[in-house]
């Protein structure tokens, strides 16, 4: 079993130039509403147009867009929260078809390794007392789960059956595609202080990257502080 402390990374699979080009398409679509399509559309005009849409709350026009992101080294808890966002497409690592016996140093069941995400603000080696008096750390507990999984696999259980004992902290990965409007909603829900630390940490970092590439779509989100574990949170502020 391997502990992942610095968990949660992402790759934006949509090329940067494609992200920027979508602003022009949004302006083209939006101008249909106002019958002002003859106006020349440039990078500069599209930025102004998109800002106007967001300021006036005409966010349906932002739906003429799409961004695909791959998240890696996130927990099943993270992915379970992400897939609650219904206006998106998902492809996720399967615990039915992925045989964790094949991870780690080789296909041998003796050598396989489950990876688990531990909160960065918790000590994975600090032992706590169980009701039966034993002392165990979260690392020890994950090791136990790995033993259970391995025992079931060795006795002939299929991965899709043995997975029942995998903890919610098990490492996963997921690809999501959504339009700008839905991304704005996901950021609003998942970068706020009340969101779970893992999805908040990863999505705060992703939001910042989006703000660098296409600021006009996301610059009304402002870093608002840190929580008790020194993890950031954002708030959405109305545009002037
Ligand atoms: C801090 C926090 C705590 C949470 N706690 C819990 C919890 O305890 N239990 C739990 O079950 N969930 C919980 N959730 C998940 C939450 O309830 C939502 O399922 C999740 O945030 C997705 O949000 P959404 O439905 O607004 O958005 P999406 O599914 O992303 O949809 C975006 C928007 O589209 C519209 N929309 C989508 N589908 C429909 C529809 N069928 N009809 C009408 N409008 C629609 C809505 O305006 C919606 O806001 C929590 C979320 C957060 C951020």
């Amino acid at each position: 079993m391997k502990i992942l402390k610095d968990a949660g990374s992402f790759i934006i699979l949509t090329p940067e130039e494609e992200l920027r080009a979508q602003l022009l398409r949004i302006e083209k679509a939006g101008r249909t509403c106002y019958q002002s399509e003859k106006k020349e559309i440039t990078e500069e005009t599209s930025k102004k147009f998109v800002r106007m849409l967001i300021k006036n709350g005409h966010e349906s026009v932002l739906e003429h867009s799409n961004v695909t992101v791959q998240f890696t080294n996130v927990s099943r808890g993270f992915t379970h929260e992400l897939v609650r966002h219904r206006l998106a497409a998902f492809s996720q690592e399967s615990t039915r078809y992925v045989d964790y016996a094949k991870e780690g140093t080789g296909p041998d069941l003796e050598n396989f390794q489950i990876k688990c995400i531990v909160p960065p603000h918790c000590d994975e080696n600090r032992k706590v007392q169980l009701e039966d008096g034993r002392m165990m750390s979260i690392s020890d507990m994950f090791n136990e789960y790995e033993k259970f999984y391995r025992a079931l696999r060795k006795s002939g259980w299929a991965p899709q059956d043995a997975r029942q004992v995998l903890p919610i902290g098990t490492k996963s990965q997921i690809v999501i595609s959504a339009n700008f409007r839905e991304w704005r909603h996901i950021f609003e829900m998942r970068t706020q202080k009340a969101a779970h630390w893992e999805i908040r940490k990863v999505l705060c970092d992703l939001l910042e990257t989006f703000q660098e590439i296409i600021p006009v779509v996301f610059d009304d989100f402002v870093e608002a502080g840190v929580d008790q574990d020194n993890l950031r949170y954002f708030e959405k502020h109305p545009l002037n």
Side-chain angles (χ1 to χ4, degrees):
M1 190 274 306
K2 185 175 178 190
I3 292 282
L4 299 174
K5 281 286 275 188
D6 194 19
S9 43
F10 56 80
I11 303 168
I12 301 175
L13 298 178
T14 309
E16 283 190 23
E17 60 278 13
E18 202 179 310
L19 290 177
R20 293 194 189 96
Q22 294 190 70
L23 301 180
L24 282 76
R25 188 163 76 227
I26 290 167
E27 181 176 358
K28 172 83 181 151
R31 288 202 174 279
T32 307
C33 308
Y34 310 117
Q35 289 293 294
S36 57
E37 291 146 289
K38 284 188 188 133
K39 195 172 186 305
E40 193 196 355
I41 292 173
T42 65
E43 213 168 290
E44 281 317 302
T45 64
S46 70
K47 284 182 200 160
K48 278 192 195 142
F49 194 87
V50 167
R51 191 176 175 83
M52 178 276 293
L53 290 173
I54 292 172
K55 190 175 164 205
N56 294 338
H58 293 169
E59 295 202 14
S60 65
V61 192
L62 300 181
E63 293 170 17
H64 298 287
S65 58
N66 197 269
V67 189
T68 303
V69 178
Q70 178 182 43
F71 294 102
T72 51
N73 290 339
V74 290
S75 72
R76 291 288 295 192
F78 174 104
T79 59
H80 187 73
E81 291 187 358
L82 193 66
V83 299
R84 293 296 302 274
H85 293 284
R86 293 159 287 179
L87 309 183
F90 300 97
S91 300
Q92 179 176 4
E93 174 178 331
S94 168
T95 49
R96 290 189 62 203
Y97 302 119
V98 173
D99 183 357
Y100 290 93
K102 288 187 178 153
E103 284 206 0
T105 52
D108 185 346
L109 281 179
E110 297 296 337
N111 293 325
F112 91 101
Q113 195 171 58
I114 291 177
K115 299 187 184 82
C116 292
I117 314 295
V118 167
H121 46 274
C122 296
D123 178 358
E124 69 273 24
N125 296 314
R126 193 172 72 84
K127 296 201 185 280
V128 296
Q129 189 163 29
L130 275 60
E131 285 180 354
D132 62 11
R134 282 182 297 159
M135 298 296 289
M136 287 178 88
S137 67
I138 194 169
S139 299
D140 301 329
M141 294 174 193
F142 281 137
N143 273 317
E144 289 293 301
Y145 280 114
E146 190 176 59
K147 282 184 202 159
F148 300 150
Y149 184 89
R150 189 163 56 220
L152 292 170
R153 288 284 294 114
K154 273 183 166 176
S155 69
W157 286 47
Q160 67 167 359
D161 300 323
R163 77 169 185 182
Q164 299 300 100
V165 296
L166 292 176
I168 200 166
T170 304
K171 175 238 106 179
S172 187
Q173 54 183 305
I174 190 165
V175 174
I176 167 174
S177 298
N179 64 48
F180 288 160
R181 188 186 198 182
E182 180 65 355
W183 276 111
R184 285 175 53 78
H185 181 69
I186 293 172
F187 286 130
E188 189 173 357
M189 302 298 287
R190 303 300 181 179
T191 66
Q192 61 168 307
K193 195 176 181 186
H196 183 257
W197 63 264
E198 187 183 359
I199 196 162
R200 173 155 50 86
K201 175 177 176 291
V202 181
L203 287 187
C204 283
D205 292 346
L206 179 63
L207 171 58
E208 229 169 30
T209 308
F210 277 6
Q211 286 177 328
E212 281 162 23
I213 304 170
I214 35 174
V216 70
V217 185
F218 298 102
D219 65 4
D220 50 340
F221 288 88
V222 179
E223 191 174 328
V226 291
D227 66 9
Q228 71 282 358
D229 297 315
N230 214 26
L231 291 173
R232 298 183 298 163
Y233 60 92
F234 280 67
E235 283 169 0
K236 195 168 86 172
H237 289 185
L239 290 173
N240 298 316

